[in-house]
Amino acid sequence: MRLGKLFFLTTFFGVSSMWSQNKQLLYDFYEIPQSLMVNPGVKTSEKWHTGIPVLSGLYFQAATSGVTVNDLFANDGVDFTTKVRERLIEDMSKRDDFSTTSQIELFNVGFRGKNRPDDYYSFGVYGETDIIAYWPKDLAILAFEGNGGNNIGRSFDLSDLNLRGEMVNVFHFGVNRKMSNDLTIGARAKIYSSIFQFQSIKNSGSFTTTQGQNNIYANTINADMKLQTSGVQEIIDILDEDTSSTQRDLTSLFTRRVLLGGNLGLGFDAGFTYHLNPQTTITGSVLDVGFIYNSKDIKNYTLRGSATNEGIDVILPEDINDLNNDLWQELIDEIEESVPFDDNDTSRYISFRPVKVYGSIRYDFGLAETSNKDCGCAINTESGQNGNLYRNSVGGQLFMMKRPRGVQAALTGFYQKRLGRTLSLKTTYTVDKYSLSNIGLGLNLQAGPVNFYILGDNLLGYRNVADSHYASLQFGFNIISWNDN
Amino acid sequence: MKKLLPPCLLLVMAAMLILSCSEEQDFDQFDDLSVTPTVASSIFYLESDEEFINSVSAVSTFYAQTFNFDAFNEQFVAERLLEGTISYELDNTTSKRLNITIEFLDEGGNILDIESLSIDPAPAQTETLEVAYGPGGKSLDILINTSSFRVTGNNLGDATSISSEPEPKIIVRSAAEFLFRLK
C-alpha cells in the first residue's frame, strides 16, 4: 500500500513531472553571468567570473498542465475516487503533461581574452535531469473503467503512452564575441555524458472490444510500441542485488558515467544580441542542438503486431478430431505469437536533446549615467553606444521548446529596474500552457565582487502552492571581476 | 563572502516562508482510491452443422470435450475478482431440439457448477442466459477454482431430419464481463 502511494505520488507530482525549461527571468538578465547559458551571445561586461562551486546555479522546476496536487488531495470532503475520475481521468487530455527539470551547476567560469578583449570565454559543468510524461488518457481510462460496459466499441489509443526522461552531465565551453558596437554573437560547444536515458515516444496502435464476428465480443489489438532505455538496467541490477555494497556500487557507477564513462553525445548553443538603436535591442538563441549516441547498457522493450481474440473456437465437424484439451493455452500462445513482447532488444539508438529557442526585444530608457568605469562596459564605449546604463528596460520574449508531442511555446513580457549598480530587479508575466497568470520576480545583488541572484516564477502560485500548476526557482552565487581597461 | 551567504540564504528562506502557503492536504486519501475496471471478453464459441449432428447422434451426444481454461484461476484474477456475469447465447437453425451443457471443473476434475441450455428446433429465437457471480449471484469460488470446462452437446430430436433453413446449424456463444479491484 505504501509503495503504491509512493508510486502514485511520485509519478504524478514528483519525479515524472515537468516541462518547459523556460528561464524567462534569467534570459537577457545580463548582470547575471549564468545568462550566458541561455544566450551565448548575450552582452557581457565582466572581466572574469567564477561561480561558487555547486552553489552558482541551482534550478528546479516542476509543472503540470492538468490536475494539481490540491485538486486531488485538498481536504475538501469529496470522495477521492470521484476526484480522480472527474479531475484526472475525465478532465485531462493526452496533451497534458507532468514534467520536471532540475539543473545543478558544478562549476562555471568565465574570463575575457587577454589579447582579444572582445572575446569572453566561459566553461563549466552542470548536471541536468529532465523528465516529461504525457497523460496516457486512453490507457488510464482502460485501467480505471476497463474495456467492458460502456466502453464496448471504444478504441483505446496506445499512442497515448508518451514519455521521455534523462539524466545527463554536460561539459561545455563557449565563446562570446563582440563583433561591433551593435552586434554580439556567441556559441557554446557541449559534450553530453549520459547517466541514463529512456524514451517511449513513437507508439501507435489501438485496443478495441467490439461485437464479434462469431462470438459475443472480439478483442482486437494492433500495437507498435517501443520503450528504449540506456543506462537503466545496470542501475536496476545494482538495486536488485541489495547488498552491503549497493551504495558504493551506485556511487561508482554514477561517478563513472558523470565523468564521460557512459553514453556520450555532442551539441551546441548559439545566440546573438543586436542593437537596433542605442535603446532598442533584439536577441535570440538556440540551445541544446545535439544528440546522445546510446550504445552502452541498452535494453529496449517492444510490443508489435496485431491479433483479434474471440475466445476458444470449436467448429464442427472440422475440429472434431482436435483432441487437444489445452485450447486455452493454444489461444494464449497464438496471441503472443501475433503480438510478441520482446525485452531482449539491445539495438543502439540516438536520442536527441530537447532543442530550445529564445527570442526577445528590449527597450531601455531612463538614462542613469553615461560612463561605466566599474562595470566592464569599457569595451562598449568606443562609439558611445550601449555603454550607457539605463535604469529601466521593458520588452517581450518568446520561448519555444521541442517536446515529444510538438513545440511548446511561452510568451513573456518583462520589466527590469536597475537601482544603481548593486541591485537589479526583473519582473515577468508569462503565458504558456500551464498558466495564464505566471508572474515572476528576479533579483540580482552585486555586493563588491560577490554576486547573488534569485529568480522565482509563478509567484501567485505561492498563495496555495499545492494548487499551483507550475513552480520554478533558481538561485546562485558568483564572484565577478569587472573590466578595468 | 562568508558574511554574505547566511543573510542571503536567510532572506530567500524567509521570503519563501512568508509568501508561500498551502491549503490543508490529506495524502492519506490515496488509501481510499477505488479502481474497479470491468473486463469483457469472449470465452468460447461452438458451432456444428446439422449434417454432423445427424451423423454422430446415434447416442444423442454429438459433442463432448473437456478443455483447460485457466483464465479464472490465474492468481491475478483470483485475488481481484469482485463480481461478474457470464453470458450464453444459443442459435439453432436445425430441425431438432438441442441441449448444451457446460460443466465447470476444478483441477481434480470435480464438478463445481453446471449450466444447461436447451433450444427448440428452428424457427427458434436466440436463447440467452446470463449467470451472475458474486454478491447476489453464484459463489465466486466457482470461477476462482475453475480449471477446465466440459462442454457437451446433446441431440434431443431425431438423427435424420434436415432443416429447410439455409446452412442449418447450432451456435453457442459465451462471454464474460468481470469486475476487478485493481486498487
Side-chain angles (χ1 to χ4, degrees):
Chain A
M1 184 63 73
R2 284 179 174 278
L3 278 176
K5 185 193 290 188
L6 187 66
F7 176 77
F8 183 86
L9 294 175
T10 53
T11 298
F12 289 100
F13 306 108
V15 175
S16 72
S17 67
M18 111 155 225
W19 181 108
S20 81
Q21 300 171 339
N22 187 8
K23 297 178 178 174
Q24 69 271 36
L25 281 160
L26 181 62
Y27 188 77
D28 208 29
F29 203 150
Y30 54 79
E31 290 88 344
I32 304 171
Q34 275 71 21
S35 61
L36 271 166
M37 299 303 295
V38 283
N39 182 2
V42 74
K43 172 184 173 183
T44 55
S45 316
E46 310 89 75
K47 182 180 181 185
W48 58 264
H49 80 268
T50 178
I52 307 293
V54 186
L55 282 177
S56 61
L58 295 164
Y59 174 74
F60 306 96
Q61 185 179 48
T64 163
S65 61
V67 71
T68 65
V69 174
N70 191 69
D71 289 337
L72 294 180
F73 291 100
N75 197 1
D76 52 11
V78 179
D79 174 58
F80 187 69
T81 302
T82 303
K83 288 194 280 190
V84 169
R85 183 187 299 110
E86 291 179 352
R87 300 170 190 179
L88 200 61
I89 304 292
E90 293 174 3
D91 280 1
M92 286 183 65
S93 80
K94 68 179 189 179
R95 297 200 68 80
D96 285 318
D97 64 70
F98 301 95
S99 60
T100 179
T101 296
S102 61
Q103 281 184 359
I104 298 178
E105 205 168 66
L106 300 181
F107 71 90
N108 186 326
V109 175
F111 60 93
R112 194 162 294 285
K114 203 167 189 177
N115 300 321
R116 302 196 62 162
D118 286 343
D119 286 0
Y120 192 77
Y121 306 101
S122 60
F123 61 94
V125 177
Y126 67 88
E128 178 178 320
T129 305
D130 180 17
I131 301 171
I132 181 165
Y134 288 91
W135 175 242
K137 186 176 179 72
D138 275 15
L139 299 180
I141 292 172
L142 184 60
F144 204 79
E145 299 176 356
N147 65 328
N150 294 328
N151 287 332
I152 299 291
R154 176 176 187 144
S155 176
F156 295 93
D157 190 349
L158 302 182
S159 72
D160 281 7
L161 180 66
N162 194 317
L163 53 90
R164 183 184 188 284
E166 66 184 334
M167 182 182 281
V168 64
N169 204 40
V170 183
F171 298 79
H172 59 88
F173 178 81
V175 180
N176 174 286
R177 175 170 295 174
K178 177 171 173 282
M179 304 297 289
S180 68
N181 286 322
D182 293 329
L183 179 64
T184 302
I185 61 171
R188 180 176 306 283
K190 290 179 168 178
I191 297 174
Y192 302 112
S193 183
S194 174
I195 295 158
F196 67 77
Q197 202 275 348
F198 61 86
Q199 59 184 27
S200 184
I201 53 176
K202 289 181 179 172
N203 298 315
S204 65
S206 64
F207 174 72
T208 317
T209 301
T210 54
Q211 187 177 350
Q213 193 173 357
N214 290 329
N215 214 335
I216 297 174
Y217 298 130
N219 297 323
T220 302
I221 185 168
N222 184 356
D224 186 358
M225 305 178 77
K226 188 168 200 173
L227 170 65
Q228 296 169 301
T229 74
S230 74
V232 175
Q233 192 56 41
E234 208 172 327
I235 295 172
I236 292 173
D237 290 344
I238 291 174
L239 292 173
D240 281 347
E241 282 177 12
D242 196 21
T243 62
S244 57
S245 65
T246 297
Q247 185 77 33
R248 193 172 59 244
D249 293 345
L250 270 181
T251 306
S252 168
L253 180 70
F254 272 77
T255 305
R256 177 160 50 87
R257 288 183 178 171
V258 161
L259 299 174
L260 306 173
N263 294 303
L264 301 178
L266 292 172
F268 71 90
D269 304 342
F272 73 93
T273 297
Y274 182 71
H275 299 290
L276 295 174
N277 60 50
Q279 288 180 269
T280 308
T281 304
I282 58 170
T283 72
S285 69
V286 55
L287 308 177
D288 279 325
V289 181
F291 67 91
I292 294 172
Y293 181 59
N294 298 280
S295 60
K296 299 174 186 172
D297 194 17
I298 306 292
K299 190 170 176 67
N300 302 325
Y301 305 82
T302 59
L303 184 70
R304 226 171 245 139
S306 60
T308 296
N309 164 40
E310 293 194 29
I312 293 168
D313 208 339
V314 177
I315 297 177
L316 302 176
E318 289 91 333
D319 296 332
I320 190 63
N321 293 321
D322 184 1
L323 300 177
N324 176 15
N325 68 351
D326 219 354
L327 297 176
W328 173 248
Q329 191 55 49
E330 206 172 70
L331 179 67
I332 299 292
D333 292 345
E334 195 178 299
I335 294 171
E336 287 181 348
E337 195 176 321
S338 300
V339 193
F341 174 71
D342 181 7
D343 61 354
N344 290 314
D345 179 4
T346 55
S347 326
R348 302 166 180 187
Y349 67 97
I350 288 173
S351 57
F352 292 96
R353 296 282 295 148
V355 177
K356 287 145 286 216
V357 175
Y358 285 93
S360 79
I361 182 164
R362 187 183 78 235
Y363 177 71
D364 300 323
F365 60 99
L367 192 61
E369 295 177 33
T370 53
S371 65
N372 298 286
K373 292 178 181 175
D374 301 325
C375 73
C377 306
I379 54 168
N380 294 319
T381 56
E382 287 173 19
S383 69
Q385 284 192 332
N386 306 315
N388 301 327
L389 177 68
Y390 291 93
R391 287 194 300 266
N392 308 288
S393 299
V394 65
Q397 296 171 188
L398 176 67
F399 170 78
M400 291 186 290
M401 183 177 187
K402 176 79 175 67
R403 279 304 200 186
R405 284 205 195 280
V407 174
Q408 292 181 336
L411 199 59
T412 298
F414 70 88
Y415 171 72
Q416 190 169 351
K417 178 78 177 175
R418 298 175 187 85
L419 302 170
R421 301 201 178 282
T422 57
L423 185 64
S424 185
L425 297 164
K426 181 177 180 181
T427 183
T428 56
Y429 171 72
T430 301
V431 177
D432 58 24
K433 70 183 285 191
Y434 299 104
S435 173
L436 298 176
S437 58
N438 181 351
I439 294 174
L441 185 63
L443 175 153
N444 181 66
L445 180 66
Q446 191 68 45
V450 178
N451 166 263
F452 169 75
Y453 68 95
I454 180 165
L455 313 167
D457 221 353
N458 200 20
L459 298 180
L460 296 179
Y462 285 89
R463 291 175 303 181
N464 183 5
V465 174
D467 201 30
S468 177
H469 286 270
Y470 180 91
S472 82
L473 181 69
Q474 180 168 16
F475 62 92
F477 292 91
N478 297 289
I479 307 292
I480 297 177
S481 173
W482 301 105
N483 239 334
D484 55 8
N485 58 350
Chain B
M1 183 66 201
K2 282 184 179 176
K3 287 180 182 176
L4 191 65
L5 277 173
C8 285
L9 285 173
L10 199 63
L11 182 68
V12 173
M13 294 181 70
M16 299 293 287
L17 285 173
I18 292 168
L19 291 172
S20 67
C21 55
S22 173
E23 279 183 25
E24 183 187 347
Q25 306 294 309
D26 177 12
F27 294 105
D28 289 337
Q29 290 179 80
F30 180 79
D31 296 336
D32 302 330
L33 178 63
S34 174
V35 182
T36 54
T38 302
V39 176
S41 176
S42 290
I43 300 177
F44 71 87
Y45 172 84
L46 173 65
E47 175 187 312
S48 176
D49 62 27
E50 187 166 24
E51 190 180 346
F52 176 75
I53 294 171
N54 284 340
S55 69
V56 296
S57 287
V59 289
S60 85
T61 300
F62 65 89
Y63 180 72
Q65 176 77 304
T66 302
F67 50 84
N68 283 343
F69 193 82
D70 294 318
F72 297 155
N73 67 5
E74 295 277 359
Q75 189 181 359
F76 180 86
V77 175
E79 288 175 354
R80 291 172 172 79
L81 185 59
L82 295 178
E83 60 183 63
T85 304
I86 295 182
S87 305
Y88 303 91
E89 285 182 11
L90 261 70
D91 276 328
N92 185 14
T93 52
T94 71
S95 61
K96 44 196 60 84
R97 182 175 167 79
L98 299 167
N99 174 267
I100 301 293
T101 303
I102 300 111
E103 293 167 283
F104 293 67
L105 309 178
D106 66 12
E107 280 191 9
N110 304 305
I111 298 172
L112 299 169
D113 195 23
I114 300 175
E115 299 299 342
S116 183
L117 300 94
S118 295
I119 186 164
D120 289 332
Q125 286 192 327
T126 300
E127 195 73 33
T128 60
L129 174 67
E130 289 200 347
V131 182
Y133 296 86
K138 291 187 174 183
S139 169
L140 284 177
D141 289 339
I142 295 170
L143 299 178
I144 291 168
N145 293 312
T146 293
S147 176
S148 59
F149 288 133
R150 180 158 57 223
V151 179
T152 308
N154 287 306
N155 179 0
L156 305 180
D158 64 85
T160 54
S161 63
I162 294 286
S163 168
S164 58
E165 298 279 336
E167 298 184 31
K169 60 178 72 168
I170 172 84
I171 290 175
V172 182
R173 302 183 189 91
S174 65
E177 274 208 346
F178 289 162
L179 189 69
F180 291 96
R181 177 170 295 288
L182 294 187
K183 165 72 180 71

